[in-house]
Amino acid sequence: MWADAHALARLCAERNTTTTTSADITARALLISATGINKIYDGNTSATVTFSDNRVAGDVLTATGSASFADKNVGTGKSVTVTGTSLAGADAGNYTMPASATTTANITARQVTVGGTLTVPSTRTYDRTTAATITAMLPTVAGSNLCCARRKVG
């Protein structure tokens, strides 16, 4: 190849000509992978993902999109859908990418700590026992169906 390049250069110099050509450069199809991030139950379907891709080394671009779980409930390997994906950055115009992606992640159960309001009646009717009813108001996540706990003590 080196000898051919020198030969071409000599030929052009001898003929005192230059050769020009043109070509189309098309955008590279970017292969995007989304990895779901596990979360603790919070009563909604919002999800977080990280993106990885096959960009050319040194190119500057950022992939974004909106991610959501299929439902808000606790579970493992839950489907996460990423929509509205887009690219930004100095080299974004050199790439095309799919409009959506899918992945999986887990929603783990939220630990509930009793510490809200404990109500112990100050009086009760005598019934020959030491039992009393205590009502606990537990903190909840908006939209959840966790309710009050009542328990006889004694």
Side-chain angles (χ1 to χ4, degrees):
M1 178 93 177
W2 178 255
D4 291 339
H6 281 295
L8 180 60
R10 262 194 319 269
L11 181 62
C12 288
E14 289 171 5
R15 294 188 180 169
N16 197 20
T17 62
T18 55
T19 304
T20 312
T21 188
S22 64
D24 293 330
I25 299 175
T26 58
R28 177 184 175 121
L30 193 65
L31 299 176
I32 287 274
S33 292
T35 302
I37 306 297
N38 298 337
K39 75 172 189 174
I40 297 171
Y41 175 77
D42 62 3
N44 66 59
T45 61
S46 65
T48 303
V49 296
T50 57
F51 292 104
S52 58
D53 57 60
N54 67 334
R55 75 182 72 183
V56 172
D59 277 3
V60 178
L61 55 100
T62 303
T64 60
S66 298
S68 61
F69 283 95
D71 63 58
K72 67 177 183 172
N73 301 317
V74 170
T76 57
K78 297 181 68 75
S79 179
V80 175
T81 301
V82 183
T83 58
T85 57
S86 64
L87 292 174
D91 298 305
N94 297 324
Y95 294 90
T96 61
M97 68 181 285
S100 64
T102 58
T103 187
T104 60
N106 303 333
I107 299 177
T108 56
R110 182 179 229 41
Q111 184 170 354
V112 176
T113 304
V114 177
T117 305
L118 293 176
T119 306
V120 180
S122 59
T123 60
R124 69 178 185 89
T125 305
Y126 175 72
D127 64 1
R128 296 185 57 115
T129 69
T130 58
T133 299
I134 298 173
T135 303
M137 300 300 292
L138 302 175
T140 62
V141 173
S144 67
N145 292 323
L146 187 62
C147 64
C148 303
R150 295 179 70 98
R151 174 129 196 204
K152 284 202 169 207
V153 178

